[in-house]
Amino acid sequence: MSKTKVQSPIFAGLDIGSTKVVALVATLDKESGLNIVGMGSASNTGIRQGVVVNIDATTAAIMKAKEEAELMSGYQMKEAWVGVSGSHIKSFNSKGMVAIKNKEVTKHDVERVLEAARAVAVPADRILLHVLPRDFKIDGTEGIWDPVGMSGVRLESSIHLITGGHTTLQNAMKCTEKAGIKTAGLVLDQLAASMAVLSEDERNLGVCVVDIGGGTTNLLYFVNGHVAHTSVIPIGGHHFTQDIAVGLRTPQIAAEDLKKKYGCALISLVDESETIEVEGVGGRKSRTVRRRELAEVIEPRAEEILQMIYQDIRDSGLLPFMGAGVVITGGSSAMDGLVEMGEFIFDIPVRRGVPSRVGGLTEIIKSPMYATAVGLVLYGYDQYKGKLMGLKNEDLSESIAQAARQLKGFIGKFF
Ligand SMILES: Nc1ncnc2c1ncn2[C@@H]1O[C@H](COP(=O)(O)OP(=O)(O)OP(=O)(O)O)[C@@H](O)[C@H]1O
Ligand SMILES: [Mg+2]
């Protein structure tokens, strides 16, 4: 990232979504923290359910978003943190156990136990994206986060590993590179989104963040402040649009417009007397229909999506640990009535998450559809803070450093 204006670090995020690409540029202000100074957005047809299906279309969308963000900010976007998602993402928990050498846990014991947990074979066609330590156990006592200095005989560790398909990630990076942007790092979309919309209290109490985008719904679970589980459901806002187009016999573009302007997930929330204009297909005249008819098309799909989310929460086995409930975000979470229906189905608190923790262009990015992009710059800032504090990869456990090196090597091959 070139510094043409002032000598302050700059962070850029690139969210390559199923419906749009968002590029964000942020600068660091000593007093106000991270400030968003440039934003570019371009609709994208080259991604299906989080995965690149058309390199040229995706590259063109990235270039357009990049140019807009550069123009607005006055900075050149040479490097960015890139979000990834899709059903090629697989995550799993792993455990390791070692004997504590001198009856008191040392840093070396922690490294050994994390190494033992990480020593699961990651297939050659997958890239390890994140190694997230969960907690430690000493002689059966759970919930220990910093075990160094504690007495015991047996040390156990639990970590969460997130991997992505090699070729799928390569395609996303190919588009980024073709658009003239170097990949600073690859970040799981919902991990980024969680950084923008969750409070520390929520993370500690236990929360599930659900990013309902255009083509996919991405979930991330926090238990005791740490990531415990991630998953992807291949369904999103695009399904509402299709239902509306078929149900109300209107073109896709008009259906998308109706959904955003008048859509509501709960029929009971819509006034019976309200009417809307619906464009006809194939040159047919527009019709006036009750807004309730639109809600009648949306409600069953909303219920289906929320039931699938509920099923995922139950299958994860983490429902009893979701003290802070569910936070829905992503463009489709803007739909009226979704929070209310979610609370009814999940029977735990639900709120809509909009990006916060940044300054600058807050009015522009104050929408759930920018959660991932804002989270990406926050993630970049966190990595920078880690480096400032002298936390080099080598200071982390060797196993995490190894994963970071592998990912760096993978990214490095492109340049
Ligand atoms: N006000 C609104 N009401 C309902 N849906 C909306 C609203 N605003 C945006 N959407 C929907 O949000 C979806 C896009 O969300 P988002 O921008 O988070 O997706 P994406 O990141 O491009 O896709 P994905 O994350 O699935 O790859 C679209 O289907 C869009 O129609
Ligand atoms: Mg998205």
Side-chain angles (χ1 to χ4, degrees):
M1 180 106 328
S2 76
K3 299 166 193 170
T4 48
K5 270 188 173 173
V6 282
Q7 290 297 310
S8 80
I10 304 158
F11 305 93
L14 190 65
D15 172 16
I16 313 172
S18 305
T19 64
K20 47 102 184 82
V21 171
V22 177
L24 280 188
V25 177
T27 56
L28 188 59
D29 185 291
K30 273 200 182 105
E31 263 130 55
S32 55
L34 208 54
N35 278 321
I36 306 287
V37 290
M39 197 273 253
S41 176
S43 60
N44 185 16
T45 51
I47 295 267
R48 196 154 300 145
Q49 293 181 331
V51 167
V52 178
V53 290
N54 185 325
I55 298 250
D56 289 342
T58 305
T59 305
I62 297 175
M63 279 172 102
K64 186 165 179 283
K66 171 186 180 259
E67 277 161 21
E68 263 181 36
E70 286 181 338
L71 201 65
M72 194 186 282
S73 66
Y75 290 100
Q76 244 186 311
M77 203 172 142
K78 287 189 175 164
E79 190 177 275
W81 293 87
V82 179
V84 292
S85 71
S87 33
H88 64 103
I89 301 287
K90 299 273 178 277
S91 71
F92 51 95
N93 292 322
S94 177
K95 283 183 194 300
M97 187 174 78
V98 292
I100 301 169
K101 275 192 179 148
N102 295 317
K103 306 281 178 274
E104 188 178 299
V105 181
T106 61
K107 214 173 138 213
H108 183 59
D109 292 320
V110 173
E111 279 173 9
R112 280 170 47 235
V113 79
L114 285 173
E115 190 55 50
R118 206 194 86 93
V120 283
V122 175
D125 62 345
R126 305 200 69 76
I127 291 293
L128 197 50
L129 290 170
H130 301 284
V131 178
L132 306 165
R134 292 181 64 188
D135 68 346
F136 297 91
K137 232 193 236 184
I138 296 178
D139 297 344
T141 305
E142 291 183 16
I144 299 166
W145 176 238
D146 186 5
V148 176
M150 292 180 76
S151 299
V153 179
R154 197 178 70 235
L155 177 67
E156 289 169 71
S157 73
S158 169
I159 59 172
H160 189 69
L161 299 166
I162 301 173
T163 68
H166 192 286
T167 47
T168 315
L169 294 175
Q170 228 164 9
N171 284 334
M173 286 179 51
K174 207 177 272 178
C175 299
T176 310
E177 184 205 13
K178 278 182 136 192
I181 304 172
K182 188 170 181 272
T183 305
L186 298 171
V187 187
L188 184 70
D189 272 3
Q190 58 267 49
L191 181 64
S194 76
M195 297 190 75
V197 302
L198 295 184
S199 70
E200 201 181 329
D201 279 347
E202 283 174 320
R203 273 192 281 263
N204 290 335
L205 274 169
V207 67
C208 175
V209 58
V210 184
D211 172 359
I212 316 173
T216 55
T217 294
N218 301 316
L219 295 94
L220 183 87
Y221 298 76
F222 277 92
V223 174
N224 292 329
H226 303 291
V227 175
H229 183 60
T230 46
S231 49
V232 180
I233 304 172
I235 194 162
H238 184 58
H239 293 82
F240 287 121
T241 308
Q242 267 180 326
D243 291 350
I244 296 165
V246 174
L248 297 186
R249 285 171 281 117
T250 190
Q252 287 264 345
I253 295 177
E256 175 75 12
D257 202 39
L258 285 175
K259 175 182 80 170
K260 288 187 189 165
K261 276 195 193 143
Y262 309 108
C264 185
L266 278 173
I267 301 166
S268 56
L269 292 182
V270 179
D271 192 326
E272 265 182 83
S273 61
E274 229 180 301
T275 58
I276 52 173
E277 279 299 296
V278 176
E279 196 183 308
V281 271
R284 288 181 184 82
K285 272 204 287 180
S286 312
R287 304 159 356 253
T288 303
V289 303
R290 287 179 308 120
R291 190 178 159 213
R292 275 207 163 193
E293 275 183 53
L294 176 65
E296 278 162 15
V297 176
I298 294 171
E299 194 181 86
R301 181 65 83 174
E303 196 179 337
E304 186 199 9
I305 294 178
L306 292 171
Q307 285 290 0
M308 286 169 93
I309 294 168
Y310 187 44
Q311 186 65 40
D312 193 276
I313 299 174
R314 276 186 307 183
D315 289 350
S316 72
L318 298 173
L319 184 57
F321 306 103
M322 298 294 104
V326 172
V327 175
I328 57 168
T329 190
S332 299
S333 73
M335 169 85 68
D336 273 349
L338 215 55
V339 167
E340 293 81 351
M341 191 190 259
E343 289 207 316
F344 179 75
I345 293 176
F346 309 153
D347 203 19
I348 50 175
V350 179
R351 75 169 179 92
R352 186 175 287 116
V354 292
S356 59
R357 296 184 55 208
V358 287
L361 306 170
T362 45
E363 282 311 306
I364 300 181
I365 50 102
K366 211 171 65 186
S367 156
M369 72 172 157
Y370 299 125
T372 300
V374 171
L376 287 168
V377 291
L378 284 166
Y379 187 92
Y381 177 43
D382 253 30
Q383 299 291 310
Y384 168 80
K385 273 195 298 188
K387 271 194 196 146
L388 271 195
M389 284 158 66
L391 257 177
K392 297 190 290 290
N393 276 343
E394 296 71 34
D395 292 334
L396 302 170
S397 88
E398 178 50 28
S399 63
I400 296 172
Q402 198 179 324
R405 279 198 296 274
Q406 188 202 9
L407 184 58
K408 226 173 173 180
F410 172 70
I411 291 169
K413 279 187 203 133
F414 273 80
F415 302 95

